[in-house]
Structure formats: C-alpha cells, structure tokens
Amino acid sequence: MQVGGAAAGGGDAADLRGRHRIQAELKKLEQEARFLEEELEELAKTDKVSSALQEFVTMMESKADPLLPVTTGPVNQSWDRWFEGPQDLRRCKCWFL
Amino acid sequence: MASVADLKEKHAAATASVNSLRERLRQRREMLLDTDVARYSKVQGRAPVSFNPTDLVCCRTLQGHSGKVYSLDWTPEKNWIVSASQDGRLIVWNALTSQKTHAIKLHCPWVMTCAFAPNGQSVACGGLDSACSIFNLNSQADRDGNMPVSRILTGHKGYVSSCQYVPDQETRLITSSGDQTCVLWDVTTGQRISIFGGEFPSGHTADVQSVSINSSNTNMFVSGSCDATVRLWDIRIASRAVRTYHGHEGDVNSVKFFPDGHRFGTGSEDGTCRLFDMRTGHQLQVYSREPDRNDNELPAVTSIAFSISGRLLFAGYSNGDCYVWDTLLAEVVLNLGNLQNSHDGRISCLGMSSDGSALCTGSWDKNLKVRTFKKRLFPFTTS
C-alpha cells in the first residue's frame, strides 16, 4: 500500500481515502447491478397482474368480516360485545393525566 | 493499482449501468400491468360496499392522554390497547370497559411507537432515544409509582420509528429506524439478532418509517421508508432484501400486510395508498383521492389498516380525514373523519382488533376512538 511521505503531505493521503471510498461504492454498485439483473431474469418468468386477480377476489369474498354491511357467514355473536354490559362510568376510577 | 481517476470512471460506468437496469426493470414491469384490481373487479361485475353514515359507530372514546397520540396496538387476544403519546406516557386500556389498567411514564418522553407482546404481558416502545424499551405489565411500580423498565434494546443509531413483536414469539421484536435499518432483537438478552440494511447493498437509503410482519409466514416482513420504497426481508437472510417495491413518489409512512399474507398495503406522503403483490412485486392498485377544488397538495397518508377480510382499507390522512376504501373497487365508501363523533385532529395511527370487529384510531386531538359496526339484529343479512 502506497502511503504519502511527510514531505508529500496530505495530497496522497487524501487520494488514498478517496480511493477506498470510491472502491467501496463501486463494489456496492456492482452488487446492485447483479441484484437488478437477477430481478430482470425473474421478471421474465413472471405472469401478468390479471393472472392472480381471480384468486384474490374470491379469497376476499370468502372471509366473514364484522365491519361489512353484508358479509358471508359464519357469524360470531361476540362481534356485538361492544354494545354489551353497563358502561357505568360513575364506577370508573380512571384519572386524567 | 488503479488510479483514483480510473476508479471514478468505473464508478460512473457502474452508475450508468445500474440506472439503465432500473429503467429496463421499470419498463418490463409496466408491460405486465395489464389491469389493476379495480378495473378487473368492475369487469367481473362487483358492486362497491355501501355504507350508511351511521353504520360504523364510535362505541368508545378513550380519554386520558394529555398530548397527541402517536401510536397504538391491540393485544392479539383480550380487548386491550396500548397507546403512546407526546405526553411521554404509554397507557394500557381495557377497550371494552374504557378503563386504564396501566399508565407508564417513560424516561424519554419523545416516544413514536408502541407494541403489545403476543401474550399481552409486556409492551414495547421506542422513539427519539434511539432505543426500544420493554415493560412487563406484571411488574410492581416503584416508590414514585413508576413502572420499571425490564429491558432496553440499544444499538440503533437513529430514532426508532416503529416496532412489532414477531407473532407468537414473546422474545423477538423487529424495529425500524431513522438510521435506515431494521433490526430483529432477542428481547430476553437484549441482543441484536440481525440488522437489515445499513452497510449491505439493497438496504434502504433513507429513514425507515414502518414495519409489518407477515402473520401467515413470520419469517417475512416489509419495511417502508423515506426513500419512497418498500422492501421485503427474510429474517433468516439479513444480507440482502428479497425484493424492492417502487411506485410511491414520497416517504412511505405506513406498511401493513394484507390478511392473506400474499399482499401488502402502503400509505405515503404522496397522498396515495397502494397494494402490492409480495411474490411478483406487481403494484396491484393505487388508491388516490381526488384533489381538492383549490388543487392543493394532497394530504399525506399517515397510517393504514385492513379489515379482517381485506375488503376495507382504512387510511388516516394528515388533514384529519379517515377514508374507508373499498379495496376491490378503489372507491372511498365512507370518511370517518367527517362523521358525528369524529376526531378533532389528524389521525396518526390505526389498528384493527384481532377478530376484526373493531377499529381503533389515535389522533393528535389526544384521544383514541373505537369504532364498530352498529348492533346487528339477528338474523341479519348475509350474502
């Protein structure tokens, strides 16, 4: 490894630091290029968006959803627990911070 | 040894090569986008979900914070919620009774995120202290009434923006950070198990704002960042992201896996939500609101949540709106920010109860609100 002598001063040392930094960035870029090439290859084997949508729509409509006005069964009566029981706030000893 | 000038030339060539590859990828993806969810669903004859304004009632208003609410999380079982606020406290609520079971004063008041452990016995929080603090809810308070920290997870070099326990694992937690990384932690030892991003290529290139773990395959999680991308990670392989998802034009503030685990939703500073296919990388749908009459900048999406079937996408915005999107038809079917008993400020966080029966929203108005579908009279309409 070349190191600038004292007489050569900061110029060579700065050059060395610059070199290491650029080499590290170059390695990252080369790695990223490889990842992108892999992704391009994978994409060449990937189906269009429409292929998966039938399954997507069917799946969504097959699950019971308590927040929908109309939903498929089975129904769970615990969904209505939010309306049960006395909401007796007088007995609540909560404090405000 | 190559001179600096040679290296700079190679660097420029490599940059051009990467940019060209990115552009080719973008074009190839565009060619595969032959439709989107809404166009497909309309062709299939699907009708949008139809709500009356009074259908999603506010059944609880949880009052007690003295500052903006920044984050909330439900327990997987029971009906408890933990919330984090600008007032420097975590509060644990029994959402069913509205009672506060714990109020935890934090050492660092600038908290940004909180999470419940899967067994409901601990809570985690993090923020500008760049650490994640764990509290065991069964601990005894000290003489001053303060709950002791049971563990502090240190190592991030920037703020902790988001945290989530790995489902069904009390001992593992994932955090996202302003230091551009995500970390998988062992909570019992306080050690970092893996760091995602940072020195390795394919990591985020700006602050990470949000994480979501796939509950169908807990080895996978997604992270959303200020670099406008979302990245998919396999917790067994920290050295590179599995995939990067492009599309947003601003910070990605919120990511959430779709209930089936094969897709995920995002919310961004660019004012849109998007739905992506995890495996193929396709952008399946953009949920974009109409610009206002004065053509002002679109309000940012701060937080999102899916209903349990995924048919509804809830999105909180920086202007106080909380749109309910029909995920299939990409139409807004309700605005929770415009109803009776709405929040008086920005909605900063959203969370769905584990059985999907209730949505909790947290706001800069210092309150949390729980909404559910109005009481059904049995037998009720089913399709």
Side-chain angles (χ1 to χ4, degrees):
Chain A
M1 183 168 72
Q2 288 176 347
V3 177
D12 285 354
D15 216 30
L16 200 59
R17 284 194 295 271
R19 187 201 309 279
H20 287 157
R21 189 169 47 235
I22 297 173
Q23 271 174 335
E25 283 176 14
L26 187 56
K27 268 198 169 146
K28 273 193 182 177
L29 282 168
E30 286 166 352
Q31 179 71 286
E32 190 174 351
R34 279 195 288 276
F35 288 163
L36 289 169
E37 274 161 3
E38 278 174 26
E39 196 176 336
L40 266 170
E41 276 174 33
E42 217 182 293
L43 206 54
K45 297 176 233 160
T46 302
D47 288 330
K48 292 185 176 182
V49 167
S50 53
S51 325
L53 290 183
Q54 183 54 54
E55 172 261 326
F56 178 57
V57 171
T58 310
M59 175 276 308
M60 208 185 294
E61 292 176 330
S62 64
K63 195 161 183 186
D65 191 329
L67 296 183
L68 287 176
V70 174
T71 187
T72 192
V75 160
N76 192 332
Q77 291 201 296
S78 72
W79 295 349
D80 279 343
R81 66 186 180 283
W82 302 100
F83 303 104
E84 287 166 15
Q87 293 302 312
D88 188 350
L89 297 175
R90 286 169 300 174
R91 284 213 206 108
C92 174
K93 292 200 171 31
C94 295
W95 19 259
F96 283 81
L97 297 168
Chain B
M1 181 188 302
S3 68
V4 170
D6 287 340
L7 284 172
K8 281 186 176 174
E9 216 175 284
K10 282 188 181 167
H11 186 281
T15 304
S17 171
V18 161
N19 287 339
S20 159
L21 282 163
R22 280 193 189 140
E23 180 55 21
R24 277 170 62 194
L25 253 178
R26 193 194 62 76
Q27 284 176 6
R28 208 174 277 189
R29 270 211 188 277
E30 217 168 272
M31 279 166 40
L32 294 172
L33 287 187
D34 57 335
T35 187
D36 63 20
V37 172
R39 266 180 282 155
Y40 181 85
S41 302
K42 280 174 188 148
V43 161
Q44 296 287 309
R46 295 302 192 277
V49 174
S50 174
F51 278 111
N52 293 318
T54 54
D55 278 348
L56 289 180
V57 297
C58 176
C59 57
R60 302 288 185 279
T61 297
L62 304 177
Q63 293 179 293
H65 279 300
S66 55
K68 298 172 180 175
V69 177
Y70 287 142
S71 179
L72 69 91
D73 192 29
W74 288 83
T75 40
E77 294 164 23
K78 303 178 200 168
N79 298 292
W80 292 3
I81 295 173
V82 62
S83 58
S85 163
Q86 183 194 39
D87 63 14
R89 289 175 196 266
L90 299 183
I91 296 182
V92 179
W93 313 81
N94 179 328
L96 213 45
T97 63
S98 299
Q99 286 179 313
K100 302 173 195 54
T101 60
H102 300 76
I104 302 169
K105 189 172 171 190
L106 301 172
H107 291 138
C108 171
W110 295 285
V111 63
M112 297 174 69
T113 182
C114 60
F116 242 120
N119 63 4
Q121 305 292 306
S122 300
V123 291
C125 68
L128 290 185
D129 58 351
S130 305
C132 191
S133 301
I134 312 292
F135 295 90
N136 183 327
L137 297 179
N138 300 316
S139 308
Q140 292 282 4
D142 65 18
R143 246 173 303 169
D144 302 320
N146 295 321
M147 176 156 285
V149 176
S150 56
R151 177 74 64 193
I152 300 183
L153 309 176
T154 55
H156 272 302
K157 299 185 186 94
Y159 62 86
V160 174
S161 51
S162 178
C163 61
Q164 188 183 348
Y165 278 86
V166 179
D168 301 325
Q169 290 190 45
E170 320 303 332
T171 57
R172 292 189 166 196
L173 181 89
I174 295 179
T175 52
S176 63
S177 172
D179 68 8
Q180 306 182 6
T181 70
C182 298
V183 172
L184 172 69
W185 303 86
D186 181 328
V187 173
T188 43
T189 61
Q191 297 300 310
R192 285 176 290 188
I193 301 172
S194 298
I195 302 172
F196 304 92
E199 291 308 309
F200 297 106
S202 82
H204 282 295
T205 54
D207 301 18
V208 189
Q209 296 296 97
S210 179
V211 288
S212 177
I213 302 173
N214 188 340
S215 53
S216 307
N217 175 2
T218 55
N219 285 322
M220 312 300 288
F221 73 94
V222 286
S223 56
S225 165
C226 295
D227 65 12
T229 71
V230 177
R231 287 170 211 243
L232 174 68
W233 303 91
D234 184 326
I235 64 171
R236 300 161 295 188
I237 309 166
S239 55
R240 63 177 284 191
V242 175
R243 184 160 284 112
T244 301
Y245 305 83
H246 299 272
H248 276 298
E249 294 166 3
D251 302 357
V252 178
N253 292 326
S254 182
V255 289
K256 207 59 67 76
F257 259 101
F258 197 76
D260 71 351
H262 295 316
R263 289 151 269 260
F264 61 87
T266 59
S268 167
E269 204 69 22
D270 68 11
T272 69
C273 300
R274 292 173 199 238
L275 185 68
F276 289 91
D277 186 303
M278 181 185 79
R279 289 167 300 186
T280 60
H282 291 326
Q283 181 180 275
L284 300 177
Q285 187 64 50
V286 182
Y287 302 91
S288 192
R289 48 190 292 162
E290 293 296 322
D292 68 17
R293 261 172 258 142
N294 303 321
D295 221 14
N296 289 324
E297 209 174 86
L298 290 175
V301 179
T302 59
S303 185
I304 64 166
F306 286 105
S307 69
I308 201 167
S309 69
R311 183 64 192 262
L312 302 176
L313 165 63
F314 297 91
Y317 293 82
S318 53
N319 67 347
D321 285 340
C322 183
Y323 280 5
V324 183
W325 289 92
D326 179 330
T327 316
L328 274 188
L329 280 301
E331 291 178 18
V332 180
V333 293
L334 204 55
N335 180 4
L336 301 179
N338 235 2
L339 301 176
Q340 208 182 21
N341 215 348
S342 297
H343 284 290
D344 291 326
R346 173 195 287 223
I347 287 175
S348 54
C349 48
L350 297 168
M352 188 65 57
S353 67
S354 55
D355 69 344
S357 65
L359 172 78
C360 185
T361 51
S363 169
W364 281 11
D365 71 0
K366 306 177 192 172
N367 294 333
L368 290 94
K369 286 183 183 284
V370 179
R371 286 193 184 269
T372 188
F373 200 88
K374 69 187 177 199
K375 193 170 166 104
R376 296 176 199 269
L377 302 167
F378 293 93
F380 66 90
T381 317
T382 56
S383 59

